[in-house]
mmCIF file of all heavy atoms in Angstrom:
data_model
loop_
_atom_site.group_PDB
_atom_site.id
_atom_site.type_symbol
_atom_site.label_atom_id
_atom_site.label_comp_id
_atom_site.label_asym_id
_atom_site.label_seq_id
_atom_site.Cartn_x
_atom_site.Cartn_y
_atom_site.Cartn_z
ATOM 1 N N THR A 252 -11.999 8.798 16.372
ATOM 2 C CA THR A 252 -11.924 9.098 17.799
ATOM 3 C C THR A 252 -12.966 10.139 18.172
ATOM 4 O O THR A 252 -13.670 10.015 19.180
ATOM 5 C CB THR A 252 -10.519 9.598 18.166
ATOM 6 O OG1 THR A 252 -9.557 8.569 17.884
ATOM 7 C CG2 THR A 252 -10.438 9.967 19.636
ATOM 8 N N SER A 253 -13.101 11.167 17.343
ATOM 9 C CA SER A 253 -14.087 12.204 17.608
ATOM 10 C C SER A 253 -15.508 11.649 17.563
ATOM 11 O O SER A 253 -16.354 12.008 18.388
ATOM 12 C CB SER A 253 -13.945 13.327 16.579
ATOM 13 O OG SER A 253 -14.971 14.287 16.727
ATOM 14 N N GLU A 254 -15.777 10.750 16.624
ATOM 15 C CA GLU A 254 -17.127 10.218 16.465
ATOM 16 C C GLU A 254 -17.575 9.432 17.689
ATOM 17 O O GLU A 254 -18.726 9.526 18.117
ATOM 18 C CB GLU A 254 -17.198 9.333 15.220
ATOM 19 C CG GLU A 254 -18.581 8.748 14.970
ATOM 20 C CD GLU A 254 -18.678 7.990 13.658
ATOM 21 O OE1 GLU A 254 -17.646 7.848 12.965
ATOM 22 O OE2 GLU A 254 -19.791 7.547 13.327
ATOM 23 N N PHE A 255 -16.649 8.646 18.267
ATOM 24 C CA PHE A 255 -17.054 7.717 19.326
ATOM 25 C C PHE A 255 -16.690 8.161 20.732
ATOM 26 O O PHE A 255 -17.158 7.583 21.710
ATOM 27 C CB PHE A 255 -16.430 6.331 19.072
ATOM 28 C CG PHE A 255 -16.850 5.729 17.758
ATOM 29 C CD1 PHE A 255 -15.902 5.427 16.799
ATOM 30 C CD2 PHE A 255 -18.176 5.469 17.481
ATOM 31 C CE1 PHE A 255 -16.273 4.882 15.587
ATOM 32 C CE2 PHE A 255 -18.565 4.915 16.276
ATOM 33 C CZ PHE A 255 -17.616 4.618 15.315
ATOM 34 N N MET A 256 -15.845 9.214 20.893
ATOM 35 C CA MET A 256 -15.294 9.519 22.209
ATOM 36 C C MET A 256 -16.317 10.087 23.178
ATOM 37 O O MET A 256 -16.114 10.037 24.395
ATOM 38 C CB MET A 256 -14.124 10.498 22.086
ATOM 39 C CG MET A 256 -14.513 11.910 21.707
ATOM 40 S SD MET A 256 -13.065 12.989 21.556
ATOM 41 C CE MET A 256 -13.842 14.549 21.162
ATOM 42 N N LEU A 257 -17.423 10.632 22.671
ATOM 43 C CA LEU A 257 -18.377 11.269 23.571
ATOM 44 C C LEU A 257 -19.059 10.291 24.512
ATOM 45 O O LEU A 257 -19.657 10.710 25.510
ATOM 46 C CB LEU A 257 -19.444 12.025 22.770
ATOM 47 C CG LEU A 257 -19.005 13.326 22.095
ATOM 48 C CD1 LEU A 257 -20.212 14.094 21.616
ATOM 49 C CD2 LEU A 257 -18.160 14.188 22.998
ATOM 50 N N SER A 258 -18.979 8.990 24.208
ATOM 51 C CA SER A 258 -19.629 8.008 25.072
ATOM 52 C C SER A 258 -19.115 8.093 26.507
ATOM 53 O O SER A 258 -19.850 7.800 27.450
ATOM 54 C CB SER A 258 -19.409 6.590 24.527
ATOM 55 O OG SER A 258 -18.024 6.296 24.431
ATOM 56 N N GLY A 259 -17.859 8.519 26.679
ATOM 57 C CA GLY A 259 -17.302 8.644 28.025
ATOM 58 C C GLY A 259 -17.274 10.061 28.551
ATOM 59 O O GLY A 259 -16.819 10.303 29.675
ATOM 60 N N LEU A 260 -17.767 11.028 27.754
ATOM 61 C CA LEU A 260 -17.655 12.433 28.140
ATOM 62 C C LEU A 260 -18.999 13.104 28.399
ATOM 63 O O LEU A 260 -19.037 14.238 28.881
ATOM 64 C CB LEU A 260 -16.919 13.218 27.033
ATOM 65 C CG LEU A 260 -15.519 12.730 26.656
ATOM 66 C CD1 LEU A 260 -14.970 13.558 25.493
ATOM 67 C CD2 LEU A 260 -14.575 12.801 27.835
ATOM 68 N N VAL A 261 -20.098 12.435 28.067
ATOM 69 C CA VAL A 261 -21.420 13.064 28.139
ATOM 70 C C VAL A 261 -21.743 13.613 29.536
ATOM 71 O O VAL A 261 -22.207 14.760 29.655
ATOM 72 C CB VAL A 261 -22.506 12.072 27.657
ATOM 73 C CG1 VAL A 261 -23.898 12.535 28.085
ATOM 74 C CG2 VAL A 261 -22.456 11.948 26.138
ATOM 75 N N PRO A 262 -21.521 12.852 30.627
ATOM 76 C CA PRO A 262 -21.870 13.415 31.949
ATOM 77 C C PRO A 262 -21.113 14.703 32.267
ATOM 78 O O PRO A 262 -21.692 15.654 32.813
ATOM 79 C CB PRO A 262 -21.489 12.284 32.918
ATOM 80 C CG PRO A 262 -21.544 11.042 32.090
ATOM 81 C CD PRO A 262 -21.069 11.453 30.742
ATOM 82 N N ASP A 263 -19.822 14.750 31.934
ATOM 83 C CA ASP A 263 -19.024 15.947 32.214
ATOM 84 C C ASP A 263 -19.500 17.135 31.383
ATOM 85 O O ASP A 263 -19.548 18.268 31.863
ATOM 86 C CB ASP A 263 -17.546 15.678 31.935
ATOM 87 C CG ASP A 263 -16.935 14.719 32.936
ATOM 88 O OD1 ASP A 263 -17.518 14.568 34.028
ATOM 89 O OD2 ASP A 263 -15.900 14.107 32.628
ATOM 90 N N ILE A 264 -19.827 16.872 30.108
ATOM 91 C CA ILE A 264 -20.322 17.953 29.248
ATOM 92 C C ILE A 264 -21.632 18.490 29.792
ATOM 93 O O ILE A 264 -21.853 19.710 29.849
ATOM 94 C CB ILE A 264 -20.497 17.439 27.804
ATOM 95 C CG1 ILE A 264 -19.119 17.117 27.183
ATOM 96 C CG2 ILE A 264 -21.222 18.472 26.942
ATOM 97 C CD1 ILE A 264 -19.207 16.474 25.818
ATOM 98 N N ALA A 265 -22.540 17.590 30.187
ATOM 99 C CA ALA A 265 -23.837 18.017 30.725
ATOM 100 C C ALA A 265 -23.659 18.882 31.968
ATOM 101 O O ALA A 265 -24.320 19.926 32.122
ATOM 102 C CB ALA A 265 -24.684 16.786 31.041
ATOM 103 N N ARG A 266 -22.762 18.474 32.840
ATOM 104 C CA ARG A 266 -22.528 19.219 34.082
ATOM 105 C C ARG A 266 -21.886 20.579 33.801
ATOM 106 O O ARG A 266 -22.287 21.598 34.376
ATOM 107 C CB ARG A 266 -21.646 18.382 35.014
ATOM 108 C CG ARG A 266 -21.436 18.995 36.383
ATOM 109 C CD ARG A 266 -20.849 17.983 37.360
ATOM 110 N NE ARG A 266 -19.685 17.297 36.807
ATOM 111 C CZ ARG A 266 -19.682 16.020 36.420
ATOM 112 N NH1 ARG A 266 -20.778 15.290 36.517
ATOM 113 N NH2 ARG A 266 -18.585 15.452 35.936
ATOM 114 N N ASP A 267 -20.917 20.610 32.905
ATOM 115 C CA ASP A 267 -20.192 21.850 32.622
ATOM 116 C C ASP A 267 -21.071 22.867 31.902
ATOM 117 O O ASP A 267 -21.028 24.064 32.206
ATOM 118 C CB ASP A 267 -18.948 21.537 31.787
ATOM 119 C CG ASP A 267 -18.073 22.753 31.562
ATOM 120 O OD1 ASP A 267 -18.038 23.633 32.440
ATOM 121 O OD2 ASP A 267 -17.437 22.838 30.497
ATOM 122 N N LEU A 268 -21.866 22.410 30.945
ATOM 123 C CA LEU A 268 -22.688 23.327 30.145
ATOM 124 C C LEU A 268 -24.105 23.463 30.691
ATOM 125 O O LEU A 268 -24.951 24.111 30.063
ATOM 126 C CB LEU A 268 -22.715 22.854 28.691
ATOM 127 C CG LEU A 268 -21.352 22.802 27.990
ATOM 128 C CD1 LEU A 268 -21.503 22.409 26.535
ATOM 129 C CD2 LEU A 268 -20.630 24.149 28.092
ATOM 130 N N GLN A 269 -24.377 22.812 31.835
ATOM 131 C CA GLN A 269 -25.651 22.949 32.532
ATOM 132 C C GLN A 269 -26.839 22.532 31.661
ATOM 133 O O GLN A 269 -27.811 23.278 31.503
ATOM 134 C CB GLN A 269 -25.820 24.385 33.049
ATOM 135 C CG GLN A 269 -24.741 24.792 34.039
ATOM 136 C CD GLN A 269 -24.924 26.205 34.575
ATOM 137 O OE1 GLN A 269 -25.712 26.983 34.062
ATOM 138 N NE2 GLN A 269 -24.178 26.547 35.622
ATOM 139 N N VAL A 270 -26.714 21.335 31.090
ATOM 140 C CA VAL A 270 -27.820 20.731 30.355
ATOM 141 C C VAL A 270 -28.045 19.334 30.919
ATOM 142 O O VAL A 270 -27.234 18.825 31.699
ATOM 143 C CB VAL A 270 -27.522 20.651 28.830
ATOM 144 C CG1 VAL A 270 -27.361 22.048 28.247
ATOM 145 C CG2 VAL A 270 -26.279 19.808 28.557
ATOM 146 N N THR A 271 -29.142 18.705 30.529
ATOM 147 C CA THR A 271 -29.416 17.351 31.000
ATOM 148 C C THR A 271 -28.524 16.352 30.274
ATOM 149 O O THR A 271 -28.003 16.633 29.184
ATOM 150 C CB THR A 271 -30.882 16.977 30.756
ATOM 151 O OG1 THR A 271 -31.127 16.933 29.336
ATOM 152 C CG2 THR A 271 -31.818 17.987 31.411
ATOM 153 N N VAL A 272 -28.362 15.192 30.869
ATOM 154 C CA VAL A 272 -27.570 14.141 30.233
ATOM 155 C C VAL A 272 -28.182 13.716 28.898
ATOM 156 O O VAL A 272 -27.461 13.557 27.907
ATOM 157 C CB VAL A 272 -27.407 12.935 31.189
ATOM 158 C CG1 VAL A 272 -26.822 11.731 30.449
ATOM 159 C CG2 VAL A 272 -26.507 13.317 32.361
ATOM 160 N N PRO A 273 -29.522 13.518 28.794
ATOM 161 C CA PRO A 273 -30.086 13.198 27.479
ATOM 162 C C PRO A 273 -29.818 14.273 26.435
ATOM 163 O O PRO A 273 -29.576 13.965 25.260
ATOM 164 C CB PRO A 273 -31.591 13.063 27.765
ATOM 165 C CG PRO A 273 -31.666 12.664 29.195
ATOM 166 C CD PRO A 273 -30.545 13.404 29.857
ATOM 167 N N ALA A 274 -29.854 15.545 26.852
ATOM 168 C CA ALA A 274 -29.550 16.617 25.902
ATOM 169 C C ALA A 274 -28.109 16.518 25.427
ATOM 170 O O ALA A 274 -27.816 16.653 24.232
ATOM 171 C CB ALA A 274 -29.807 17.980 26.546
ATOM 172 N N ALA A 275 -27.193 16.255 26.353
ATOM 173 C CA ALA A 275 -25.791 16.080 25.957
ATOM 174 C C ALA A 275 -25.623 14.857 25.067
ATOM 175 O O ALA A 275 -24.792 14.847 24.157
ATOM 176 C CB ALA A 275 -24.907 15.964 27.193
ATOM 177 N N GLY A 276 -26.424 13.820 25.315
ATOM 178 C CA GLY A 276 -26.367 12.637 24.467
ATOM 179 C C GLY A 276 -26.757 12.921 23.031
ATOM 180 O O GLY A 276 -26.363 12.199 22.116
ATOM 181 N N ALA A 277 -27.541 14.005 22.830
ATOM 182 C CA ALA A 277 -27.929 14.381 21.466
ATOM 183 C C ALA A 277 -26.723 14.785 20.627
ATOM 184 O O ALA A 277 -26.801 14.791 19.389
ATOM 185 C CB ALA A 277 -28.932 15.529 21.506
ATOM 186 N N LEU A 278 -25.605 15.097 21.269
ATOM 187 C CA LEU A 278 -24.387 15.417 20.516
ATOM 188 C C LEU A 278 -23.935 14.222 19.682
ATOM 189 O O LEU A 278 -23.447 14.380 18.556
ATOM 190 C CB LEU A 278 -23.273 15.836 21.474
ATOM 191 C CG LEU A 278 -23.504 17.116 22.279
ATOM 192 C CD1 LEU A 278 -22.453 17.257 23.365
ATOM 193 C CD2 LEU A 278 -23.493 18.325 21.352
ATOM 194 N N THR A 279 -24.094 13.018 20.233
ATOM 195 C CA THR A 279 -23.735 11.807 19.500
ATOM 196 C C THR A 279 -24.695 11.572 18.348
ATOM 197 O O THR A 279 -24.285 11.239 17.224
ATOM 198 C CB THR A 279 -23.742 10.597 20.446
ATOM 199 O OG1 THR A 279 -22.793 10.822 21.497
ATOM 200 C CG2 THR A 279 -23.378 9.319 19.701
ATOM 201 N N SER A 280 -25.989 11.747 18.599
ATOM 202 C CA SER A 280 -26.986 11.563 17.548
ATOM 203 C C SER A 280 -26.779 12.570 16.421
ATOM 204 O O SER A 280 -26.913 12.233 15.243
ATOM 205 C CB SER A 280 -28.400 11.705 18.117
ATOM 206 O OG SER A 280 -28.633 10.761 19.136
ATOM 207 N N ALA A 281 -26.456 13.816 16.775
ATOM 208 C CA ALA A 281 -26.231 14.844 15.768
ATOM 209 C C ALA A 281 -25.067 14.478 14.865
ATOM 210 O O ALA A 281 -25.121 14.682 13.641
ATOM 211 C CB ALA A 281 -25.973 16.195 16.452
ATOM 212 N N PHE A 282 -24.024 13.917 15.456
ATOM 213 C CA PHE A 282 -22.870 13.517 14.652
ATOM 214 C C PHE A 282 -23.255 12.385 13.705
ATOM 215 O O PHE A 282 -22.885 12.391 12.517
ATOM 216 C CB PHE A 282 -21.728 13.081 15.569
ATOM 217 C CG PHE A 282 -20.373 13.103 14.906
ATOM 218 C CD1 PHE A 282 -19.514 14.185 15.078
ATOM 219 C CD2 PHE A 282 -19.954 12.060 14.104
ATOM 220 C CE1 PHE A 282 -18.274 14.212 14.477
ATOM 221 C CE2 PHE A 282 -18.720 12.073 13.493
ATOM 222 C CZ PHE A 282 -17.869 13.160 13.675
ATOM 223 N N ALA A 283 -24.012 11.409 14.203
ATOM 224 C CA ALA A 283 -24.402 10.270 13.370
ATOM 225 C C ALA A 283 -25.274 10.720 12.197
ATOM 226 O O ALA A 283 -25.079 10.289 11.056
ATOM 227 C CB ALA A 283 -25.142 9.232 14.212
ATOM 228 N N VAL A 284 -26.239 11.603 12.474
ATOM 229 C CA VAL A 284 -27.105 12.106 11.403
ATOM 230 C C VAL A 284 -26.283 12.893 10.383
ATOM 231 O O VAL A 284 -26.474 12.762 9.167
ATOM 232 C CB VAL A 284 -28.234 12.978 11.986
ATOM 233 C CG1 VAL A 284 -29.013 13.673 10.875
ATOM 234 C CG2 VAL A 284 -29.179 12.122 12.828
ATOM 235 N N GLY A 285 -25.351 13.704 10.873
ATOM 236 C CA GLY A 285 -24.491 14.457 9.966
ATOM 237 C C GLY A 285 -23.659 13.562 9.068
ATOM 238 O O GLY A 285 -23.449 13.858 7.892
ATOM 239 N N MET A 286 -23.196 12.434 9.607
ATOM 240 C CA MET A 286 -22.422 11.486 8.812
ATOM 241 C C MET A 286 -23.276 10.851 7.719
ATOM 242 O O MET A 286 -22.854 10.720 6.567
ATOM 243 C CB MET A 286 -21.838 10.399 9.713
ATOM 244 C CG MET A 286 -20.688 10.847 10.586
ATOM 245 S SD MET A 286 -19.186 11.217 9.651
ATOM 246 C CE MET A 286 -18.710 9.578 9.099
ATOM 247 N N VAL A 287 -24.498 10.442 8.064
ATOM 248 C CA VAL A 287 -25.366 9.774 7.092
ATOM 249 C C VAL A 287 -25.769 10.727 5.977
ATOM 250 O O VAL A 287 -25.675 10.405 4.790
ATOM 251 C CB VAL A 287 -26.613 9.199 7.798
ATOM 252 C CG1 VAL A 287 -27.605 8.662 6.778
ATOM 253 C CG2 VAL A 287 -26.213 8.090 8.767
ATOM 254 N N VAL A 288 -26.230 11.909 6.362
ATOM 255 C CA VAL A 288 -26.699 12.870 5.369
ATOM 256 C C VAL A 288 -25.534 13.500 4.611
ATOM 257 O O VAL A 288 -25.603 13.739 3.405
ATOM 258 C CB VAL A 288 -27.538 13.975 6.057
ATOM 259 C CG1 VAL A 288 -27.942 15.059 5.066
ATOM 260 C CG2 VAL A 288 -28.775 13.364 6.700
ATOM 261 N N GLY A 289 -24.457 13.747 5.345
ATOM 262 C CA GLY A 289 -23.355 14.489 4.751
ATOM 263 C C GLY A 289 -22.518 13.718 3.755
ATOM 264 O O GLY A 289 -21.932 14.312 2.844
ATOM 265 N N ALA A 290 -22.430 12.389 3.893
ATOM 266 C CA ALA A 290 -21.526 11.632 3.027
ATOM 267 C C ALA A 290 -21.837 11.830 1.542
ATOM 268 O O ALA A 290 -20.960 12.247 0.769
ATOM 269 C CB ALA A 290 -21.561 10.151 3.404
ATOM 270 N N PRO A 291 -23.060 11.553 1.073
ATOM 271 C CA PRO A 291 -23.319 11.773 -0.354
ATOM 272 C C PRO A 291 -23.321 13.248 -0.741
ATOM 273 O O PRO A 291 -22.859 13.606 -1.834
ATOM 274 C CB PRO A 291 -24.700 11.133 -0.571
ATOM 275 C CG PRO A 291 -25.325 11.054 0.771
ATOM 276 C CD PRO A 291 -24.208 10.917 1.751
ATOM 277 N N LEU A 292 -23.822 14.117 0.167
ATOM 278 C CA LEU A 292 -23.879 15.540 -0.177
ATOM 279 C C LEU A 292 -22.481 16.136 -0.306
ATOM 280 O O LEU A 292 -22.193 16.895 -1.245
ATOM 281 C CB LEU A 292 -24.667 16.295 0.896
ATOM 282 C CG LEU A 292 -26.172 16.030 0.945
ATOM 283 C CD1 LEU A 292 -26.817 16.861 2.051
ATOM 284 C CD2 LEU A 292 -26.827 16.341 -0.392
ATOM 285 N N MET A 293 -21.599 15.818 0.638
ATOM 286 C CA MET A 293 -20.246 16.354 0.585
ATOM 287 C C MET A 293 -19.443 15.759 -0.575
ATOM 288 O O MET A 293 -18.612 16.425 -1.185
ATOM 289 C CB MET A 293 -19.518 16.096 1.906
ATOM 290 C CG MET A 293 -20.101 16.826 3.109
ATOM 291 S SD MET A 293 -20.080 18.635 2.945
ATOM 292 C CE MET A 293 -21.809 18.942 2.513
ATOM 293 N N ALA A 294 -19.697 14.486 -0.886
ATOM 294 C CA ALA A 294 -19.030 13.880 -2.042
ATOM 295 C C ALA A 294 -19.438 14.595 -3.318
ATOM 296 O O ALA A 294 -18.614 14.842 -4.208
ATOM 297 C CB ALA A 294 -19.374 12.392 -2.125
ATOM 298 N N ALA A 295 -20.724 14.944 -3.418
ATOM 299 C CA ALA A 295 -21.187 15.674 -4.601
ATOM 300 C C ALA A 295 -20.594 17.078 -4.643
ATOM 301 O O ALA A 295 -20.202 17.577 -5.705
ATOM 302 C CB ALA A 295 -22.717 15.736 -4.601
ATOM 303 N N LEU A 296 -20.484 17.722 -3.463
ATOM 304 C CA LEU A 296 -19.928 19.068 -3.397
ATOM 305 C C LEU A 296 -18.474 19.102 -3.856
ATOM 306 O O LEU A 296 -18.029 20.053 -4.510
ATOM 307 C CB LEU A 296 -20.028 19.594 -1.964
ATOM 308 C CG LEU A 296 -19.449 20.990 -1.693
ATOM 309 C CD1 LEU A 296 -20.230 22.046 -2.462
ATOM 310 C CD2 LEU A 296 -19.475 21.304 -0.201
ATOM 311 N N GLY A 297 -17.726 18.048 -3.509
ATOM 312 C CA GLY A 297 -16.302 18.033 -3.833
ATOM 313 C C GLY A 297 -15.959 17.474 -5.196
ATOM 314 O O GLY A 297 -14.778 17.273 -5.496
ATOM 315 N N ARG A 298 -16.962 17.250 -6.051
ATOM 316 C CA ARG A 298 -16.705 16.595 -7.342
ATOM 317 C C ARG A 298 -15.762 17.405 -8.229
ATOM 318 O O ARG A 298 -14.974 16.832 -8.975
ATOM 319 C CB ARG A 298 -18.021 16.356 -8.088
ATOM 320 C CG ARG A 298 -18.934 15.337 -7.441
ATOM 321 C CD ARG A 298 -20.268 15.242 -8.146
ATOM 322 N NE ARG A 298 -20.151 14.511 -9.395
ATOM 323 C CZ ARG A 298 -20.273 15.034 -10.588
ATOM 324 N NH1 ARG A 298 -20.489 16.344 -10.712
ATOM 325 N NH2 ARG A 298 -20.159 14.296 -11.666
ATOM 326 N N ARG A 299 -15.855 18.714 -8.192
ATOM 327 C CA ARG A 299 -15.053 19.544 -9.093
ATOM 328 C C ARG A 299 -13.744 20.027 -8.473
ATOM 329 O O ARG A 299 -13.031 20.813 -9.076
ATOM 330 C CB ARG A 299 -15.878 20.745 -9.584
ATOM 331 C CG ARG A 299 -17.056 20.309 -10.453
ATOM 332 C CD ARG A 299 -17.742 21.485 -11.128
ATOM 333 N NE ARG A 299 -18.800 21.021 -12.000
ATOM 334 C CZ ARG A 299 -18.619 20.628 -13.258
ATOM 335 N NH1 ARG A 299 -17.415 20.652 -13.788
ATOM 336 N NH2 ARG A 299 -19.637 20.211 -13.977
ATOM 337 N N TRP A 300 -13.459 19.573 -7.254
ATOM 338 C CA TRP A 300 -12.179 19.876 -6.637
ATOM 339 C C TRP A 300 -11.210 18.747 -6.927
ATOM 340 O O TRP A 300 -11.609 17.612 -7.223
ATOM 341 C CB TRP A 300 -12.314 20.036 -5.124
ATOM 342 C CG TRP A 300 -13.267 21.097 -4.690
ATOM 343 C CD1 TRP A 300 -13.748 22.130 -5.430
ATOM 344 C CD2 TRP A 300 -13.871 21.220 -3.397
ATOM 345 N NE1 TRP A 300 -14.611 22.896 -4.686
ATOM 346 C CE2 TRP A 300 -14.710 22.367 -3.432
ATOM 347 C CE3 TRP A 300 -13.780 20.496 -2.215
ATOM 348 C CZ2 TRP A 300 -15.448 22.797 -2.334
ATOM 349 C CZ3 TRP A 300 -14.512 20.920 -1.108
ATOM 350 C CH2 TRP A 300 -15.335 22.045 -1.167
ATOM 351 N N SER A 301 -9.921 19.055 -6.824
ATOM 352 C CA SER A 301 -8.953 17.965 -6.856
ATOM 353 C C SER A 301 -9.113 17.138 -5.592
ATOM 354 O O SER A 301 -9.656 17.613 -4.579
ATOM 355 C CB SER A 301 -7.525 18.521 -6.926
ATOM 356 O OG SER A 301 -7.182 19.170 -5.707
ATOM 357 N N GLN A 302 -8.665 15.901 -5.642
ATOM 358 C CA GLN A 302 -8.783 15.052 -4.461
ATOM 359 C C GLN A 302 -8.028 15.654 -3.284
ATOM 360 O O GLN A 302 -8.530 15.681 -2.154
ATOM 361 C CB GLN A 302 -8.274 13.643 -4.779
ATOM 362 C CG GLN A 302 -9.184 12.880 -5.719
ATOM 363 C CD GLN A 302 -8.635 11.517 -6.087
ATOM 364 O OE1 GLN A 302 -7.432 11.266 -5.967
ATOM 365 N NE2 GLN A 302 -9.501 10.634 -6.565
ATOM 366 N N ARG A 303 -6.814 16.146 -3.537
ATOM 367 C CA ARG A 303 -6.056 16.755 -2.445
ATOM 368 C C ARG A 303 -6.781 17.981 -1.901
ATOM 369 O O ARG A 303 -6.881 18.180 -0.689
ATOM 370 C CB ARG A 303 -4.665 17.156 -2.923
ATOM 371 C CG ARG A 303 -3.820 17.794 -1.817
ATOM 372 C CD ARG A 303 -2.606 18.502 -2.377
ATOM 373 N NE ARG A 303 -1.687 17.581 -2.997
ATOM 374 C CZ ARG A 303 -0.744 17.940 -3.864
ATOM 375 N NH1 ARG A 303 -0.642 19.209 -4.218
ATOM 376 N NH2 ARG A 303 0.066 17.046 -4.380
#
Side-chain angles (χ1 to χ4, degrees):
T252 298
S253 174
E254 181 174 4
F255 300 120
M256 71 181 182
L257 287 192
S258 59
L260 303 177
V261 164
D263 290 340
I264 292 174
R266 185 166 50 252
D267 185 31
L268 299 184
Q269 299 181 347
V270 297
T271 65
V272 169
L278 296 169
T279 300
S280 301
F282 200 98
V284 172
M286 287 291 291
V287 173
V288 175
L292 290 181
M293 295 299 102
L296 178 65
R298 292 174 76 249
R299 295 189 177 275
W300 302 342
S301 68
Q302 290 177 339
R303 180 195 295 161

